[in-house]
């Protein structure tokens, strides 16, 4: 696999739970999220990426930081490693912190 195929963009931010049917998240709570995508044109396609996140029951999505990861060995967190692999296989992957953001 060449480096252009293995590059993943990690868009970090937060979103609000919009689903009352979730056993894991409470309706209205905000959580940190990470959207991993292989779409190098993520800035131009942000609407489609937000639609992907909304499909999992999230709203009020805001991305704050974008990082490029070319080498899976740079990741040390098992959740991010598995999400990196899913993004490579499926084009994108969503990670949500289980704990809500406390303000």
């Amino acid at each position: 696999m060449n480096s252009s195929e293995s590059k993943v963009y990690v868009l970090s931010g937060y979103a609000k739970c919009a689903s009352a049917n979730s056993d894991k998240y409470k309706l209205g709570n905000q959580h940190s999220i990470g959207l991993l995508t292989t779409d190098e044109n993520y800035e131009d396609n942000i609407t489609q990426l937000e639609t992907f996140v909304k499909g999992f029951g999230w709203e009020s999505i805001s991305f704050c930081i974008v990082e490029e990861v070319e080498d899976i060995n740079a990741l040390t967190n098992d959740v991010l490693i598995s999400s990196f692999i899913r993004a490579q296989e499926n084009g994108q992957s969503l990670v949500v912190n289980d704990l809500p953001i406390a303000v």
Side-chain angles (χ1 to χ4, degrees):
M1 179 180 298
N2 67 40
S3 63
S4 66
E5 290 175 342
S6 65
K7 186 182 290 187
V8 172
Y9 301 90
V10 181
L11 289 71
S12 300
Y14 55 91
K16 183 168 62 171
C17 180
S19 175
N21 297 327
S22 174
D23 294 333
K24 198 171 194 178
Y25 307 108
K26 183 179 175 186
L27 179 66
N29 277 356
Q30 286 196 346
H31 291 259
S32 298
I33 63 169
L35 175 62
L36 288 76
T37 181
T38 56
D39 184 356
E40 63 185 20
N41 297 313
Y42 62 87
E43 290 176 297
D44 295 333
N45 298 322
I46 199 72
T47 301
Q48 291 92 332
L49 296 173
E50 288 176 346
T51 299
F52 174 76
V53 176
K54 287 178 181 178
F56 288 99
W58 297 94
E59 64 184 8
S60 302
I61 301 155
S62 179
F63 296 114
C64 307
I65 300 171
V66 178
E67 298 174 80
E68 293 180 20
V69 179
E70 292 187 44
D71 183 3
I72 193 170
N73 296 314
L75 301 173
T76 57
N77 180 295
D78 289 341
V79 172
L80 290 178
I81 291 169
S82 64
S83 188
F84 183 94
I85 293 167
R86 276 195 315 273
Q88 287 182 322
E89 293 172 348
N90 304 320
Q92 51 208 15
S93 177
L94 180 66
V95 175
V96 177
N97 187 323
D98 290 343
L99 299 175
I101 297 172
V103 289

